[in-house]
Amino acid sequence: MSRTERAIAGVAATGLGLAAGQLLGVLLDPASAPLVAVGSAVIDLAPPQLKEWAVSTVGTADKPLLLLTVALVVIGLGAVAGIASSRHPVVADLAFATLAVVGAAAALTRAGAAPSAALPSVLAAAVAAALLRWQLHWSAPAGPRPDGTGFDRRLLLTGGAGIIAALATAALPGSRTQLPPAAVRTIPAPQSTPSAFPAGLDSTVPGISPLRTPVADFYRIDTALFVPQLDVAGWQLQVDGLVEAPFTIGWDELVGMPLIERDITLTCVSNEIGGPYCGSNRWTGVRVADLLRRARPSARADQVLSSSSDGFSASTPLAVLLDGRDAMIAIAMDGQPLPREHGFPARLLTPGLYGYVGATKWLTHLKVSTFAADQAYWTTRGWAERAPVKTATRIDTPRGRVAAGSTVIGGVAWATHRGISRVQVQVDNGPWQDAKLGPDVGLDYWRQWYLPWEAASGTHRIAARAWDDAGVVQPATVQPVLPDGPTGYHVIDVQVD
Ligand SMILES: Nc1nc2c(c(=O)[nH]1)N[C@H]1C(S)=C(S)[C@@H](COP(=O)(O)O)O[C@H]1N2
Ligand SMILES: [Mo]
């Protein structure tokens, strides 16, 4: 066999082996599938700057891209193993065994992994090693082929099949996504509801963010390569740590507690000024304070470490959860059970804090603790330990090009849990003008705003800034998202034709 043929044999063996491992993973536990396990480990180990770059440049496409990259890297290593087999087939065996160890280690270190999580990677490597040996054994000796291609055609076909099989099974573990079980299609009526939801500026200011973000358009940010598939039947929330009365609560008991319904804006710390990672909705849930009071936290505690079924964690100041704000264990969004992407069956939601320090999805554990004793997922990766939402303004419209004449500049501003009292707009470094504010939905909700504008042709620079209810204007200084959220005015250039 030639060098190239050995490489192709390695690709075929690795691709088909990976496919076998992926299939076993789908049957056992999607998180144990080799590509998912290694991809998740890459997410956890990646430096924060890289993750930041991935979120801002490729957005939600970053996850398929990561799976694809891992698959191609592994197949590439398989090609190298094939070439190395010219020394001795044992060299290739050792290469596959190394891959098995990496995959198994990644799978076994996932949150809640069973010992069987190692099996898919071991199977993948065993199949790959066996297939490579089989091909080396049966393939015709090197030299000109009857069809003149210079290659064994069977080899080319298996190589292609290997790549296709690996890519086809790469995304398979995510295909188990289901709707919430029928038992949870409805949720009990809340005891405390907000006042009627006002009509927003949506109908009068085209292009402005709707006052309530449609659930289907609500941004999604998390480290989960595939959405965790929890079921209310087995779901439990453990409340323990520095408390006098630790307890565990199941779904039925949780939804039997007094429910509140509130309008709350949620923002990601990684949302660049003017960015899309902010959404507003009506949420239903149980007050976190009700659960904490039942557990009776110790006077020494200053933090609640919340964690999820997939090993994410967030640190929320205990004082914030007990200061009377509407921090809740949310079970519904817009009157419907939480979509799986947004944390089904239950998530934490803390008005006034960025999501990474107060909005754990797929919530399973609240550990009352101290900031000194326990660090959360992103805190150990360079992000701030505490992160209240900073005042921010976003210009939604116009964006890009508009026709000259009467138009409207409009957008949203938020200073979650402090409220928005004023928004100003500036055109071409002219005087700052007060924008008209949309309806006030409350301290924890964003506010729409608009300013009529006579647009003359040419290029114009538009800037906007907001004040919170305490009369503090957002900082003009431009600061990046790391470590605790960005600052600066939103400034855009508009082409008027
Ligand atoms: N389990 C889990 N919960 C999580 C995260 C995560 O990665 N895993 N990301 C947090 C971050 S950074 C944000 S901004 C919000 C986003 O919530 P959403 O996807 O429902 O909009 O979820 C938070 N909760
Ligand atoms: Mo976030």
Side-chain angles (χ1 to χ4, degrees):
M1 254 181 152
S2 72
R3 211 179 135 86
T4 314
E5 285 174 328
R6 282 180 186 273
I8 297 173
V11 166
T14 314
L16 293 169
L18 260 184
Q22 288 288 108
L23 288 173
L24 181 61
V26 173
L27 295 175
L28 286 179
D29 167 11
S32 72
L35 294 176
V36 183
V38 173
S40 302
V42 170
I43 292 179
D44 288 352
L45 296 173
Q49 286 82 358
L50 181 68
K51 254 178 280 205
E52 192 41 52
W53 171 85
V55 166
S56 51
T57 54
V58 277
T60 32
D62 56 357
K63 286 167 185 167
L65 197 70
L66 173 64
L67 278 177
L68 187 71
T69 309
V70 174
L72 293 179
V73 167
V74 174
I75 290 174
L77 291 173
V80 175
I83 295 170
S85 70
S86 65
R87 295 181 180 276
H88 199 284
V90 169
V91 180
D93 294 343
L94 283 176
F96 289 125
T98 309
L99 286 176
V101 169
V102 170
L108 289 172
T109 50
R110 301 310 304 156
S116 63
L119 293 179
S121 293
V122 172
L123 176 75
V127 169
L131 277 178
L132 182 63
R133 276 181 176 261
W134 182 77
Q135 291 179 99
L136 296 176
H137 187 73
W138 287 105
S139 158
R145 304 286 176 231
D147 63 2
T149 59
F151 288 118
D152 181 335
R153 271 183 72 198
R154 262 187 324 181
L155 200 56
L156 281 180
L157 285 178
T158 32
I163 292 183
I164 290 169
L167 297 186
T169 52
L172 209 56
S175 66
R176 286 224 308 210
T177 303
Q178 310 138 357
L179 290 170
V184 220
R185 295 265 160 78
T186 56
I187 46 152
Q191 297 195 346
S192 161
T193 52
S195 40
F197 195 72
L201 301 176
D202 325 6
S203 52
T204 44
V205 182
I208 202 169
S209 297
L211 190 54
R212 184 183 293 173
T213 313
V215 173
D217 298 343
F218 206 95
Y219 80 95
R220 174 187 164 201
I221 296 277
D222 52 61
T223 60
L225 208 39
F226 291 113
V227 177
Q229 304 291 307
L230 304 188
D231 200 338
V232 289
W235 180 83
Q236 284 191 323
L237 175 63
Q238 201 178 326
V239 184
D240 60 12
L242 296 174
V243 297
E244 280 172 40
F247 65 94
T248 298
I249 187 169
W251 175 259
D252 290 338
E253 195 187 345
L254 184 80
V255 302
M257 290 178 69
L259 295 175
I260 58 169
E261 194 167 66
R262 295 290 184 266
D263 296 309
I264 297 170
T265 293
L266 176 64
T267 326
C268 183
V269 69
S270 300
N271 188 45
E272 308 271 355
I273 295 293
Y277 306 132
C278 183
S280 300
N281 213 282
R282 179 162 285 194
W283 308 82
T284 313
V286 173
R287 283 183 180 283
V288 183
D290 289 352
L291 293 170
L292 292 176
R293 286 206 190 88
R294 173 169 159 191
R296 299 204 298 279
S298 133
R300 282 192 297 132
D302 64 3
Q303 183 218 68
V304 172
L305 188 80
S306 56
S307 43
S308 67
S309 64
D310 66 330
F312 171 86
S313 60
S315 57
T316 312
L318 178 63
V320 161
L321 296 172
L322 296 175
D323 73 1
R325 76 182 71 194
D326 296 316
M328 64 168 92
I329 310 295
I331 56 167
M333 196 176 175
D334 207 9
Q336 298 297 317
L338 287 181
R340 292 202 180 270
E341 299 74 37
H342 298 294
F344 182 85
R347 75 176 301 167
L348 187 63
L349 196 64
T350 313
L353 302 188
Y354 286 119
Y356 85 104
V357 285
T360 303
K361 305 191 276 188
W362 313 294
L363 181 71
T364 54
H365 191 183
L366 294 177
K367 180 185 178 195
V368 178
S369 164
T370 62
F371 279 103
D374 286 304
Q375 278 78 48
Y377 187 93
W378 286 113
T379 309
T380 59
R381 289 163 173 84
W383 294 80
E385 192 171 72
R386 296 165 197 249
V389 174
K390 296 177 181 174
T391 307
T393 321
R394 180 171 79 201
I395 303 167
D396 291 328
T397 181
R399 287 267 181 127
R401 302 181 90 94
V402 279
S406 299
T407 179
V408 178
I409 301 169
V412 283
W414 58 87
T416 328
H417 204 57
R418 295 188 306 282
I420 289 291
S421 60
R422 186 181 189 190
V423 174
Q424 285 190 330
V425 179
Q426 183 193 48
V427 181
D428 297 331
N429 287 312
W432 285 96
Q433 305 173 63
D434 281 331
K436 291 197 173 50
L437 296 183
D440 184 1
V441 184
L443 285 187
D444 296 336
Y445 212 74
W446 66 13
R447 199 130 183 209
Q448 295 171 316
W449 55 266
Y450 74 99
L451 182 75
W453 180 41
E454 281 305 319
S457 23
T459 305
H460 300 282
R461 177 154 291 186
I462 302 174
R465 62 182 181 187
W467 276 256
D468 66 15
D469 273 3
V472 180
V473 67
Q474 69 182 87
T477 331
V478 175
Q479 189 188 295
V481 295
L482 249 170
D484 64 352
T487 61
Y489 301 162
H490 190 200
V491 182
I492 61 165
D493 288 321
V494 177
Q495 172 67 40
V496 180
D497 299 317

